[in-house]
Amino acid sequence: EFIKTKGEKTKMGNIGSVSADINSFRNAVSAGTMPHSSSITYGGIFNENFFLMNDALDRNQLVSTELHHAEVINNRGQVEYWLACFVKTKQDGLKRTLPIDVSIVIDVSGSMASVLPSESGESGEKSCLTLAKECALGLAHQLNSEDKFAISTFDDQETVVMPMTEVSQIDLEELSSKLEAINTAGGTVVAAGMRGGLDRFEKYDPAKDRRRERRMIMITDMYTMECDVLKKEMERGLQDKIYTSIVGIGISFCTEVTETIVKVPCANYFSATKSEQLERIVNTNFDFNFFPVARDVELSLHSGVFFLEAIYGVSEDESPQSELPVAWKPATHKYYPLKVRKTVETLLLTLKRKRFHLPNTGLQRVAEFLAPKFEFINDIKSVFPSSLT
C-alpha cells in the first residue's frame, strides 16, 4: 500500500495481488530481447527484496498490516508523504497445518526440451522437462503421509502418470521409473492439461475435505496459452474447491495470461527462468506458495488526515473507480477506533436504560460524526503467507 500526500492533505494507494516475481523480465533483458511490459510489476519487485519489519507479528489476527512512511519533496517543491502497507498473516514463517491433495500437471510438448540456465550463469545441462520431473519426484518425497498426490502430463492430450494416491501408499522407486520414461512430444493444448489435472481429484466432500487443501500445479513453458480456456477450467475447479497454480518455466513464459490467473480466487502464478528457481517455487517454499490464508480481503483507509489519490501496483480493473465510503453498522463496529466504539457502546447502554430505541441509521450518524468514514482502497482476492516473519 502507498499513501501519497500533497500540501495538507494526504493520499493513499495500494499494491494488490500481482506477479509473484519478475524473473521473466530479468531473463529477457539478459537475453538482449525486449521484455513485455506486464512482466515487471510493483509486487514482483517487492517480493524479491527484503524489508525491515518493526512490528511483532500478531498471531491472533488472521491478516494484519504494517505501515512504513517516507517524506519526499517533489519537483514542484511540495511535500509528498508516502505510506507503504505490508500485509501479514498469522501463518507467516510457519509450516502448514493442513493436509493437501495436490495434482501436478507437467507440459511435455516439444519446447520443454529446451535447457534452462543456472543462476551462476552456466548454460546448464538439464531440460525444462527434466527439472519439472525432478520437482515432482522431490515433492513426493517431502509430502506428509496423510497428503495425497497425483501426476499427469499433457501435450495435445492428457496422460495419467499416477492417480490421486495417499502418500503413504506411493512406491517411490516405481514413480521414479515412470517419470524417467517421460519424454517430450507434440504440441501444447491447455484444455488437455487442465482436464488432466482437475480430473485427478475426487468430488468434493464437505465432511472429509473441509479441512484439506486441494490444489493443481501446472508446470509449463506457456508457449501457447488460451486465456479463455484457462479461465473456464480454473473456474470449473473452484466448484469442487480445487485451486490452481501456474508455474511458467523458461523465457517463453507468456506474461499476458497473468491477469487472467490473478482474477481467479486463490490462484497464483510464478515464473522460473533459472534451474534453481523451479525447485524453490515448488519444493522449498511449498508450505507458503500453495496454502492461501484468506480470501476477498478488503483494504480500506480510515483517517481524518489521509485520503485516497492513486493506486500503484494493481491492474486497472482492480483499482477503485470512485471512493466507496464504508458506513458504520454493527458488522463494521469493531474496525472503528477504540474511543468511538466506547462512545457508541455507552450510548447504547444509556438508550437501553431509558428504554429508547434508536435505529441503526441514527447510530451511524453518531459514529460518523465522531470518526471519518472508511475509504475503499482495494480488494485482494487471495492472501498467501510469507516464508519470513
Side-chain angles (χ1 to χ4, degrees):
E1 314 305 321
F2 288 93
I3 291 179
K4 180 182 178 182
T5 69
K6 294 180 180 178
E8 297 181 354
K9 292 290 184 178
T10 318
K11 308 185 177 183
M12 187 169 190
N14 162 254
I15 292 200
S17 302
V18 288
S19 172
D21 52 55
I22 58 168
N23 291 333
S24 58
F25 174 86
R26 285 207 178 93
N27 202 54
V29 172
S30 299
T33 61
M34 179 64 72
H36 192 280
S37 60
S38 65
S39 65
I40 183 168
T41 65
Y42 288 92
I45 293 174
F46 294 152
N47 286 342
E48 293 191 346
N49 290 275
F50 294 91
F51 297 86
L52 178 62
M53 309 300 280
N54 296 323
D55 297 341
L57 181 60
D58 186 353
R59 296 290 184 187
N60 296 317
Q61 293 289 333
L62 184 64
V63 177
S64 58
T65 57
E66 180 175 331
L67 306 177
H68 298 267
H69 74 279
E71 299 181 14
V72 178
I73 305 296
N74 64 23
N75 55 11
R76 294 184 296 277
Q78 298 172 315
V79 178
E80 293 182 347
Y81 300 91
W82 292 80
L83 180 66
C85 176
F86 296 89
V87 178
K88 295 180 172 183
T89 80
K90 65 185 296 182
Q91 281 299 118
D92 286 1
L94 299 179
K95 293 294 184 180
R96 64 183 170 105
T97 57
L98 293 178
I100 186 172
D101 299 344
V102 57
S103 172
I104 279 197
V105 189
I106 301 174
D107 182 355
V108 295
S109 60
S111 55
M112 288 287 285
S114 60
V115 175
L116 209 61
S118 67
E119 291 180 333
S120 64
E122 298 178 0
S123 59
E125 300 178 353
K126 296 180 180 179
S127 68
C128 293
L129 177 58
T130 298
L131 293 168
K133 292 190 294 183
E134 289 180 352
C135 279
L137 185 60
L139 191 55
H141 279 275
Q142 78 177 63
L143 288 171
N144 299 329
S145 59
E146 69 271 24
D147 295 331
K148 294 181 180 180
F149 192 31
I151 302 176
S152 55
T153 64
F154 76 100
D155 43 24
D156 53 2
Q157 60 184 359
E158 61 170 298
T159 301
V160 179
V161 178
M162 182 180 70
M164 191 64 73
T165 307
E166 190 170 288
V167 171
S168 61
Q169 302 301 314
I170 295 176
D171 184 330
L172 293 174
E173 290 187 6
E174 180 183 354
L175 177 59
S176 178
S177 298
K178 288 183 177 180
L179 289 171
E180 184 67 28
I182 297 172
N183 296 303
T184 56
T188 305
V189 178
V190 175
M194 294 297 292
R195 283 195 303 269
L198 296 176
D199 291 350
R200 303 286 72 77
F201 292 88
E202 298 175 356
K203 187 170 180 59
Y204 179 73
D205 182 352
K208 66 176 183 178
D209 295 330
R210 187 176 64 86
R211 293 292 297 168
R212 296 184 71 90
E213 183 73 15
R214 290 154 63 88
R215 182 163 294 271
M216 180 185 72
I217 303 174
M218 177 184 281
I219 303 177
T220 172
D221 60 11
M222 300 180 81
Y223 194 81
T224 303
M225 295 297 286
E226 306 161 62
C227 291
D228 292 342
V229 174
L230 181 65
K231 187 171 186 290
K232 180 180 178 180
E233 291 296 320
M234 291 171 73
E235 291 176 342
R236 179 171 74 88
L238 285 178
Q239 297 174 11
D240 268 332
K241 307 295 184 183
I242 303 169
Y243 306 121
T244 304
S245 295
I246 306 292
V247 181
I249 183 170
I251 194 171
S252 297
F253 176 52
C254 180
T255 55
E256 294 183 21
V257 305
T258 58
E259 291 302 323
T260 299
I261 297 171
V262 297
K263 291 175 186 175
V264 179
C266 295
N268 57 4
Y269 75 97
F270 304 86
S271 171
T273 58
K274 299 292 189 294
S275 56
E276 296 89 346
Q277 292 168 354
L278 184 61
E279 182 179 357
R280 282 201 295 268
I281 292 168
V282 178
N283 301 95
T284 306
N285 291 323
F286 181 80
D287 289 353
F288 307 103
N289 290 340
F290 306 117
F291 292 83
V293 172
R295 289 179 53 179
D296 299 323
V297 175
E298 179 183 291
L299 296 177
S300 300
L301 172 66
H302 188 209
S303 173
V305 179
F306 301 108
F307 66 92
L308 180 67
E309 178 187 81
I311 294 179
Y312 301 90
V314 296
S315 58
E316 292 182 2
D317 58 325
E318 290 179 306
S319 305
Q321 301 302 312
S322 60
E323 294 181 356
L324 301 175
V326 180
W328 182 94
K329 52 186 176 182
T332 61
H333 175 75
K334 61 183 178 181
Y335 298 116
Y336 273 69
L338 179 61
K339 185 177 181 180
V340 176
R341 297 201 309 271
K342 285 187 173 295
T343 301
V344 172
E345 290 161 8
T346 300
L347 175 60
L348 285 171
L349 288 172
T350 303
L351 293 173
K352 185 175 181 179
R353 291 194 191 99
K354 297 292 184 181
R355 297 182 179 179
F356 182 84
H357 174 70
L358 183 66
N360 280 347
T361 52
L363 291 172
Q364 180 180 324
R365 288 180 177 273
V366 172
E368 291 175 358
F369 173 78
L370 295 171
K373 297 179 180 179
F374 287 86
E375 288 185 82
F376 174 81
I377 299 168
N378 188 41
D379 278 325
I380 301 179
K381 289 190 177 296
S382 313
V383 179
F384 289 81
S386 168
S387 59
L388 302 176
T389 55

